[in-house]
C-alpha cells in the first residue's frame, strides 16, 4: 500500500513529481530514438518493407533500492562515477533532485501503481500489472494491401516467443519444433485468430496459466499462503472477481496443466535457497529493496 497523493506535503509532491518527470523524459528519449530509426528507413527506401515490432517492458517497477542497507544489497551494483568522475548517489533520497547522471533512483511503489492502473500489482508478479504490455506491429508493404482492417486493435493474448515464430514465418523458414511460440502472421494479414495453446508463467514463485478467456494465477504473499485465483479475462481484465470457488473443477484442470508444464521445463520451487531465520523473502517485497 502507498499513501494517497493528497496525504503528501508540498515538498514531497514536488520531489515525487520530479521523479516521474525524469521517468517520462526517458520515455521521450526512447520515442525520439525510435523516430531517428524510422527516418533512416524512409531515407533508404526500406520503410514500407520493414517489419517493426514495438513493445514496452512488463509492468511498472516497484523496487525501492534499499539504499540504506549494508554491503550485499543493491546500491553497489548501480554506483560508480559519472562521465565527469563525480560519484553517483544511489537511492530515493529526498535531498537530491532526480534526473541528473549523478543520481540513480527508482520511481517506487506509488508510481508503479499509477503506471499499471487499472491492473493489479507490478513487475515480478504475474497478475496483469506484472505481465501485460502493449504491442505495436508495423509493416506497410505486406499488410495494407492484404488487410483492409490493418489498423485495428487486437485484444487476444500472445507472448514473447510468438514473435520468434512469426519472424520465422515471415522469413519463410520452418518454425523450430522445440519452440512453443505460435505465429501471429495470419492475424497481421487480417484473419481473426487467437493463440491455440495455453500460456504459462513462473517468476520467483508467482505462477499463472492463461487458456482462452480463463486465467489461473497464484501470487506469493508474505503473511499467508494464498490460494490460486481464477478470472474470466473477457469480463474481468483487472482481476477483481475471483471465480475459483465457483469453478473448482476448472481450477483443478488448469493447475494440472500448469504443473505438467512446470515439470517439463524444470521450474524449481521458490525460494531457491532456504531463508535464514529472522530474514524475509526480499523478492516478495521489492518496495523495501
Amino acid at each position: 500500500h502507498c499513501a494517497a497523493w493528497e496525504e503528501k506535503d508540498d515538498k514531497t509532491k514536488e520531489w515525487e513529481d520530479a521523479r516521474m518527470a525524469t521517468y517520462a523524459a526517458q520515455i521521450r528519449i526512447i520515442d525520439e530514438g525510435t523516430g531517428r530509426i524510422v527516418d533512416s528507413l524512409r531515407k533508404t527506401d526500406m520503410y514500407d518493407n520493414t517489419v517493426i515490432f514495438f513493445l514496452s517492458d512488463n509492468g511498472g517497477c516497484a523496487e525501492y533500492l534499499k539504499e540504506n542497507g549494508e554491503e550485499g544489497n543493491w546500491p553497489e551494483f548501480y554506483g560508480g562515477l559519472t562521465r565527469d568522475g563525480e560519484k553517483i548517489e544511489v537511492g530515493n533520497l529526498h535531498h537530491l533532485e532526480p534526473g541528473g547522471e549523478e543520481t540513480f533512483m527508482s520511481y517506487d511503489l506509488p508510481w508503479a501503481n499509477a503506471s499499471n492502473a487499472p491492473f493489479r500489482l507490478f513487475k515480478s508478479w504475474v497478475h496483469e500489472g506484472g505481465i501485460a504490455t502493449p504491442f505495436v506491429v508495423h509493416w506497410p508493404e505486406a499488410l495494407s494491401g492484404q488487410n483492409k482492417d490493418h489498423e485495428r486493435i487486437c485484444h487476444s493474448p500472445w507472448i514473447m516467443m510468438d514473435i520468434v515464430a512469426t519472424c520465422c514465418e515471415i522469413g519463410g523458414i520452418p518454425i523450430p519444433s522445440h519452440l512453443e511460440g505460435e505465429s501471429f502472421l495470419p492475424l497481421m494479414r487480417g484473419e481473426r485468430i487467437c493463440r491455440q495453446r495455453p500460456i504459462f508463467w513462473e517468476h520467483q514463485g508467482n505462477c499463472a496459466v492463461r487458456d482462452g478467456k480463463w486465467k489461473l494465477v497464484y501470487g506469493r504473499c508474505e503473511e499467508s499462503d494464498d490460494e490460486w485465483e481464477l478470472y474470466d479475462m473477457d469480463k474481468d481484465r483487472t482481476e477483481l472477481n475471483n471465480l475459483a470457488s465457483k469453478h473448482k473443477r476448472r481450477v483443478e484442470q488448469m493447475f494440472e496443466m500448469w504443473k505438467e508444464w512446470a515439470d517439463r521445463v524444470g521450474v524449481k520451487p521458490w525460494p531457491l535457497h532456504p531463508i535464514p531465520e529472522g530474514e524475509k523473502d526480499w523478492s516478495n517485497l521489492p518496495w523495501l529493496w
Side-chain angles (χ1 to χ4, degrees), residues 34-237:
T34 303
R36 288 194 294 270
I37 295 172
V38 170
D39 286 343
S40 296
L41 291 171
R42 286 195 168 110
K43 290 175 182 176
T44 54
D45 295 323
M46 299 176 65
Y47 175 72
D48 287 341
N49 198 30
T50 296
V51 189
I52 299 175
F53 296 135
F54 185 90
L55 70 162
S56 70
D57 196 10
N58 56 305
C61 181
E63 295 168 13
Y64 182 66
L65 299 180
K66 202 179 181 185
E67 61 269 12
N68 295 321
E70 299 175 355
E71 184 178 352
N73 295 317
W74 288 111
E76 64 265 29
F77 295 113
Y78 299 122
L81 303 176
T82 67
R83 288 168 290 185
D84 296 328
E86 187 177 352
K87 182 182 177 181
I88 297 174
E89 295 285 345
V90 178
N92 302 317
L93 306 172
H94 286 231
H95 67 278
L96 296 178
E97 181 70 16
E101 65 175 315
E102 73 283 355
T103 66
F104 188 99
M105 300 184 181
S106 70
Y107 76 167
D108 203 359
L109 175 63
W111 285 123
N113 270 333
S115 296
N116 288 342
F119 299 139
R120 283 179 60 190
L121 294 172
F122 17 72
K123 191 185 301 297
S124 293
W125 276 261
V126 291
H127 287 76
E128 291 296 281
I131 60 173
T133 176
F135 180 52
V136 178
V137 180
H138 186 268
W139 189 13
E141 187 170 302
L143 302 183
S144 58
Q146 302 178 46
N147 179 11
K148 296 179 180 179
D149 198 20
H150 67 282
E151 293 183 353
R152 69 187 175 93
I153 297 175
C154 171
H155 293 284
S156 60
W158 299 78
I159 196 167
M160 288 288 292
M161 56 186 145
D162 297 330
I163 299 176
V164 180
T166 304
C167 288
C168 288
E169 187 171 6
I170 290 172
I173 62 174
I175 299 173
S177 58
H178 64 274
L179 179 67
E180 299 189 17
E182 298 181 17
S183 173
F184 50 77
L185 183 58
L187 184 69
M188 294 163 58
R189 289 174 170 163
E191 297 182 28
R192 301 285 177 170
I193 66 165
C194 295
R195 201 178 196 279
Q196 296 302 302
R197 287 175 287 186
I199 304 173
F200 301 94
W201 293 267
E202 188 280 334
H203 183 68
Q204 296 178 335
N206 297 301
C207 317
V209 54
R210 176 75 184 264
D211 187 22
K213 72 174 185 175
W214 294 103
K215 179 179 176 183
L216 186 71
V217 58
Y218 172 82
R220 292 181 299 107
C221 179
E222 181 75 8
E223 289 78 20
S224 62
D225 293 327
D226 286 353
E227 299 293 329
W228 288 75
E229 305 163 11
L230 180 69
Y231 298 101
D232 180 342
M233 301 301 282
D234 285 352
K235 298 178 180 179
D236 184 23
R237 183 81 192 279

Side-chain angles (χ1 to χ4, degrees), residues 236-264:
D236 184 23
R237 183 81 192 279
T238 50
E239 298 168 306
L240 297 178
N241 184 22
N242 182 8
L243 301 175
S245 62
K246 296 181 180 179
H247 299 276
K248 294 182 179 180
R249 179 58 180 156
R250 179 171 294 279
V251 171
E252 293 173 0
Q253 291 173 338
M254 293 182 70
F255 171 73
E256 288 302 317
M257 291 165 55
W258 183 89
K259 190 174 183 302
E260 179 182 337
W261 167 82
D263 291 342
R264 177 166 54 82

Side-chain angles (χ1 to χ4, degrees), residues 202 262 266-270 272:
E202 188 280 334
V267 171
K268 297 180 180 180
W270 188 265
L272 298 179

Side-chain angles (χ1 to χ4, degrees), residues 1-21:
H1 301 281
C2 55
W5 181 259
E6 294 76 13
E7 296 175 9
K8 299 179 182 292
D9 59 53
D10 291 342
K11 188 175 181 179
T12 302
K13 286 181 180 179
E14 289 180 9
W15 182 79
E16 289 283 11
D17 185 50
R19 272 209 295 180
M20 191 46 158

